[in-house]
Amino acid sequence: SFHEEHAHFLTNQNKEGSMKLIPRMRQCMQVRHMAHSTEKAYIAWVKRYLHFHDMTHPSNLGPQDITAFLNHLASNLNVAASTQNQALCAIVFLYRHVLESPPGMLEGLVRATRERHLPVVLSRQELASLLDTIPPKFSLHVRLLYGAGLRVSELLSLRVQDIDFDQHLILL
């Protein structure tokens, strides 16, 4: 089967006794004390990269193959810019630290674009309607969060001495 034929990338050792690609990558990340979540994500991206190129060993692939994979993510799968960037970082890590071979120039790379979101601003009527639904016990809290743009952590650490009543300021 396909998986049996290409399982050699995933096992710990090859015929010559040297460490296989994925376990070697895992070891390189652990030596660098990378987060376990980063390790899982990078390995998943490298596996997708290998599958995209029909399990061809990455040492036999060049910059144009990396570009083809990343362009596929951006153009065909419409991934977010941060997703494409994570895939790029995983592949660059593979080449630089595991294969010890720089990936080269990625010419013709199509970068996924970040969507621009306009902030949601409530009308005065919508805001008044919303604030009317808040129980009086929490009204001041919600008004400070919205009106002063405070974070919840900033609100919770607010003290009376942080408020300048003469200047109408909140000092954080």
Side-chain angles (χ1 to χ4, degrees):
S1 83
F2 178 81
H3 291 289
E4 290 170 354
E5 184 180 333
H6 298 294
H8 59 279
F9 285 123
L10 309 177
T11 58
N12 280 340
Q13 306 230 324
N14 60 20
K15 292 173 192 154
E16 297 83 38
S18 62
M19 194 174 246
K20 290 298 194 164
L21 186 68
I22 298 299
R24 206 165 76 215
M25 184 166 175
R26 189 172 272 119
Q27 183 183 48
C28 283
M29 288 188 276
Q30 289 170 352
V31 165
R32 288 171 176 74
H33 303 288
M34 295 174 81
H36 182 66
S37 58
T38 304
E39 181 182 322
K40 282 174 45 180
Y42 277 23
I43 287 173
W45 280 117
V46 167
K47 286 179 180 179
R48 284 181 74 174
Y49 175 64
L50 294 173
H51 283 287
F52 180 79
H53 290 295
D54 298 320
M55 299 303 282
T56 303
H57 195 280
S59 60
N60 298 326
L61 299 171
Q64 69 280 2
D65 300 301
I66 298 170
T67 301
F69 174 68
L70 295 171
N71 287 349
H72 168 73
L73 294 177
S75 303
N76 300 354
L77 301 182
N78 297 316
V79 299
S82 59
T83 302
Q84 185 192 35
N85 193 51
Q86 185 182 55
L88 171 63
C89 290
I91 294 168
V92 167
F93 182 89
L94 169 71
Y95 279 91
R96 280 193 186 147
H97 301 291
V98 181
L99 301 174
E100 296 177 345
S101 166
M105 291 296 296
L106 304 180
E107 294 178 19
L109 180 62
V110 175
R111 297 306 301 245
T113 55
R114 293 174 195 239
E115 282 189 36
R116 300 278 180 211
H117 293 285
L118 289 175
V120 176
V121 179
L122 301 175
S123 69
R124 288 177 188 256
Q125 184 180 358
E126 291 170 326
L127 181 59
S129 174
L130 176 68
L131 291 175
D132 287 343
T133 65
I134 306 295
K137 179 175 166 181
F138 302 111
S139 179
L140 177 61
H141 301 102
V142 172
R143 289 171 190 271
L144 280 169
L145 286 169
Y146 185 80
L150 295 181
R151 294 178 178 92
V152 173
S153 61
E154 293 169 335
L155 175 72
L156 294 174
S157 65
L158 199 60
R159 302 168 305 165
V160 173
Q161 54 262 47
D162 295 331
I163 302 171
D164 184 343
F165 291 100
D166 296 330
Q167 298 285 325
H168 301 278
L169 294 174
I170 297 175
L171 307 170
L172 297 175

